Amino acid sequence: MMPGMGMQPQVILLKEGTDTSQGKPQLISNINACMAVVDTVATTLGPRGMDKLIHNDKGQVTISNDGATIMKLLDIVHPAAKSLCDVSLSQDAEVGDGTTSVVILAGEFLKEAKGFVEEGAHPRSIIKAFRVASQLAIEKVRELSVSLEGKADEEKKALLKKCAMTTLNSKLVSGEKEFFAQVCVDSVSKLDPQTLDLKMIGIKKVTGGGLRDSFLVDGVAFKKTFSYAGFEQQPKSFVNPKILLLNIELELKAEKENAEVRLDDPAMYQSIVDAEWNIIYDKLDKCVASGANIVLSRLAIGDLGTQYFADCGVFCAGRVEGPDMDRVSKATGARVQTTVNGLNPAVLGTCSSFEERQVGAERYNMFMGCPQARTATIVLRGGSEQFIDEADRSLHDAIMIVRRALKHAEVVPGGGAIEMELSKYLREVALSHTSKSQLFIRAFAKALEVIPRQLCNNAGFDATDVLNKLRQKHASLDGSGKNFGVDVNTGGVVDTFNAFVWEPSLVKYNAIQSATEAACLILSVDETVRNPKSEGADAGMNPGGRGMGRGRGMAGRGMGRGMRR
């Protein structure tokens, strides 16, 4: 046998420069990356959580302790850690709150699994046990939930307010949580109970004043649009006005540059000049003749139109933003028109009162007492722009929670109480398993304790001491301690259900499911392949093409040399 004949041909499967890492070290590395992300947001959990100040290349500054907002703004490049970002955003979209909890839980599940992976346990066994534990935990949450169905309206509103206050506890606006919780409940109560469409709640921000100066408008409010001469002469308030919505421009346009008109008779010149004026006057006449007191348009209403409407005692506003226009349309019953021909009373909307009011340095147009659809607008006040933005994010969470609690009227005790009860339950269940899954379910149970532990750490209390008290309470045989959670005010434990620290069950279902899925996803990855940017179209179309071609060539050269020898 000739030298070289026994050599194995070298086969290069992936494109040159492709970076691959695999096996146990890769899995551990992914878990460590996720832990780094968790460490970033962990301190924002709970009523005593800290805020994060994030500023980007453009110099925009955001101060927030909302998990989803922070995860969105962190520029995470690690592919495995990105899944934690996704799980936080999905929690925000589905429930609106619990975005920090879900990231912390997913990280803790991975942290518990890391020890087993290092000792040689197969990730698939851990994934299987975690999924079983997650299912058991969700069934237990269902069992522990307290339904709000069948309560009187007033009582139900009081209970929803308590849910909103629990959410606002951990936010920047916690000092005014009672005031804002009431605003959230009132605004959601104004929506159509069938759809509870969030688009029907507008949030407008006006810098200046204090948080207490914020108020709720029973209807639609938007900032006064750009207006032309003659605007001040228009009436600024109406009772039961007729409202006309347009999607046409009511202003004179400059002629195109190369416009050319040839006339045989000089007397016709004036009629050509007047033609455009006649067209716009005709449109304005038709608007006024329709009986409308308020004319709103998505496009501009120029000087001529503004002055004309002022002379006729009609209020007008041009360049109204799309979402505001849609809300006015739904709330007042007015239909947006693309022509002023054939306007009949059926296309006009109405409301009980309209007024233009000064709010801080801005003027706002307010349509109140709308008969058609139920809508509300929250006008937020505050000292600085960042502060109002954070108040907006906080209110979004609280509104989502109230909305979810209305749809799925079940609550569980907050403050880590439900996690401690689930942990105790899963520890007991684990003993009924004889395989390795006993260890993995116990690890899942231990991971759930991270929520009360982090609440203690963020409040500056001794977590070990508080957790021991909680374990003792939850271990009571008569079940009297099942609602005990962390008391962030005294550093002890308290029956959080009686203290009205409530969370909708849906937050917990979603958090446990999403966190388990994210942890299982990361545990199931054992190799990362990183492709550099393809060079040329062919390389892009066939990433393995060049590498494999070279591999065959090298093998061929090796064999050829051997044969010649």
Side-chain angles (χ1 to χ4, degrees), residues 159-169 181 184-185 398 401-402:
L159 301 178
L160 289 171
K161 185 178 172 185
K162 300 204 167 76
C163 285
M165 279 166 69
T166 304
T167 302
L168 292 170
N169 249 334
C184 292
V185 174
I401 283 300
V402 173

Side-chain angles (χ1 to χ4, degrees), residues 140 144 412-425 428 452 466-487 492-498:
K140 187 67 176 171
L144 292 167
V412 289
I418 191 79
E419 284 84 4
M420 288 305 292
E421 187 62 20
L422 292 176
S423 179
K424 170 215 156 189
Y425 168 68
E428 289 167 2
V466 176
L467 280 180
N468 285 339
K469 283 181 191 168
L470 282 176
R471 284 193 199 104
Q472 181 256 327
K473 286 283 185 193
H474 284 265
S476 59
L477 296 173
D478 59 353
S480 59
K482 67 178 182 184
N483 293 336
F484 272 79
V486 181
D487 184 353
V493 296
V494 66
D495 186 327
T496 50
F497 200 81
N498 291 342

Side-chain angles (χ1 to χ4, degrees), residues 231-474:
F231 179 79
E232 288 303 337
Q233 294 156 24
Q234 292 179 351
K236 296 292 186 284
S237 66
F238 290 100
V239 177
N240 296 324
K242 293 271 179 271
I243 300 162
L244 173 63
L245 304 184
L246 299 173
N247 195 11
I248 52 175
E249 224 165 12
L250 293 175
E251 66 176 333
L252 290 165
K253 283 291 183 196
E255 292 82 7
K256 294 280 181 285
E257 290 129 46
N258 298 324
E260 188 176 309
V261 180
R262 298 192 176 190
L263 302 173
D264 297 331
D265 180 5
M268 288 174 68
Y269 175 71
Q270 191 58 39
S271 66
I272 299 287
V273 174
D274 292 343
E276 194 179 8
W277 289 78
N278 292 338
I279 290 168
I280 192 164
Y281 273 126
D282 181 48
K283 285 180 182 174
L284 296 171
D285 283 339
K286 283 176 177 165
C287 291
V288 175
S290 69
N293 308 107
I294 296 171
V295 178
L296 303 181
S297 177
R298 275 205 175 111
L299 303 172
I301 296 179
D303 280 346
L304 180 69
T306 308
Q307 188 64 58
Y308 186 91
F309 285 134
D311 294 343
C312 297
V314 173
F315 175 89
C316 74
R319 296 199 183 102
V320 178
E321 288 183 13
D324 291 329
M325 199 77 163
D326 293 342
R327 283 176 50 235
V328 172
S329 171
K330 284 179 183 166
T332 62
R335 292 184 211 144
V336 179
Q337 301 297 300
T338 50
T339 174
V340 290
N341 295 322
L343 292 176
N344 61 2
V347 301
L348 301 180
T350 187
C351 62
S352 59
S353 67
F354 164 83
E355 67 170 301
E356 186 177 289
R357 195 190 302 171
Q358 190 82 18
V359 180
E362 310 287 356
R363 281 210 213 156
Y364 269 73
N365 298 331
M366 300 187 185
F367 299 81
M368 291 167 287
C370 304
Q372 280 300 81
R374 299 157 75 173
T375 179
T377 307
I378 300 168
V379 179
L380 278 181
R381 307 294 310 280
S384 73
E385 211 170 303
Q386 286 98 338
F387 190 75
I388 298 180
D389 287 345
E390 179 60 5
D392 176 16
R393 286 188 285 271
S394 307
L395 279 188
H396 169 264
D397 284 10
I399 286 169
M400 286 289 279
I401 283 300
V402 173
R403 182 168 165 255
R404 287 296 176 195
L406 261 179
K407 274 193 174 177
H408 306 272
E410 288 183 341
V411 294
V412 289
I418 191 79
E419 284 84 4
M420 288 305 292
E421 187 62 20
L422 292 176
S423 179
K424 170 215 156 189
Y425 168 68
L426 288 174
R427 278 200 175 94
E428 289 167 2
V429 170
L431 296 173
S432 64
H433 289 256
T434 51
S435 61
K436 282 183 199 162
S437 59
Q438 183 189 95
L439 294 169
F440 304 147
I441 293 173
R442 279 178 70 85
F444 189 97
K446 186 183 171 198
L448 287 170
E449 290 185 352
V450 70
I451 299 290
R453 189 185 312 123
Q454 196 63 49
L455 285 173
C456 294
N457 288 339
N458 290 353
F461 302 134
D462 181 356
T464 314
D465 196 31
V466 176
L467 280 180
N468 285 339
K469 283 181 191 168
L470 282 176
R471 284 193 199 104
Q472 181 256 327
K473 286 283 185 193
H474 284 265

Side-chain angles (χ1 to χ4, degrees), residues 5 139 317 468:
M5 285 292 280
E139 282 163 17
N468 285 339

Side-chain angles (χ1 to χ4, degrees), residues 147-190:
S147 176
L148 304 181
E149 289 293 353
K151 309 261 184 193
D153 275 359
E154 280 310 307
E155 195 180 350
K156 207 170 189 181
K157 277 188 181 174
L159 301 178
L160 289 171
K161 185 178 172 185
K162 300 204 167 76
C163 285
M165 279 166 69
T166 304
T167 302
L168 292 170
N169 249 334
S170 60
K171 307 293 181 192
L172 205 61
V173 294
S174 58
E176 302 288 356
K177 65 183 177 188
E178 198 150 324
F179 172 73
F180 281 115
Q182 190 62 54
V183 166
C184 292
V185 174
D186 288 348
S187 59
V188 175
S189 305
K190 286 192 166 53

